[in-house]
Amino acid sequence: MTKAAHPAVIYVIGADGDIITRGSLPPSSTQHWRIRLKAKVVAAVESGLITREEACERYRMSVEEYFEWRRRVERSGLARWVTRHAKPGGRSDTA
């Protein structure tokens, strides 16, 4: 049985109300990783905006390091976000 395709994620609203898109993610050259920047990356991955593999490659980290980021974000209370999906016909919907 094949997995049903989900509509593409167009943006995520982070816990602090910021709109997160692929273009608004921290640059790959970021050196000072504050918890809010990590939370943006984690929200992007967990919502499907980017894959975990893409995040690990972009930010040069291991899968284990990503999971550590996720644990820290969860403990910080910033692990809340709203995902906006593209709908057929160009409309969007929250999930």
Side-chain angles (χ1 to χ4, degrees), residues 22 41 44-46 48-57 66:
R22 288 178 155 277
V41 174
V45 170
E46 297 301 316
L49 185 63
I50 63 173
T51 66
R52 183 176 55 235
E53 293 78 16
E54 188 178 353
C56 289
E57 182 178 324
Y66 168 78

Side-chain angles (χ1 to χ4, degrees), residues 12-15 20 25 38-50 66 73 78 80-81 83:
V12 178
I13 301 173
I20 305 166
L25 287 170
K38 291 179 180 182
K40 285 185 179 195
V41 174
V42 170
V45 170
E46 297 301 316
S47 68
L49 185 63
I50 63 173
Y66 168 78
V73 167
L78 292 173
R80 302 178 318 271
W81 49 83
T83 305

Side-chain angles (χ1 to χ4, degrees), residues 58-74:
R58 179 176 179 158
Y59 299 112
R60 295 176 296 282
M61 66 176 151
S62 67
V63 172
E64 293 79 15
E65 187 175 3
Y66 168 78
F67 284 123
E68 180 59 30
W69 280 25
R70 191 173 81 180
R71 280 189 291 275
R72 289 181 183 196
V73 167
E74 288 170 352

Side-chain angles (χ1 to χ4, degrees), residues 29-41:
S29 61
T30 301
Q31 293 183 1
H32 301 288
W33 283 98
R34 296 178 310 281
I35 191 66
R36 291 194 182 280
L37 292 178
K38 291 179 180 182
K40 285 185 179 195
V41 174

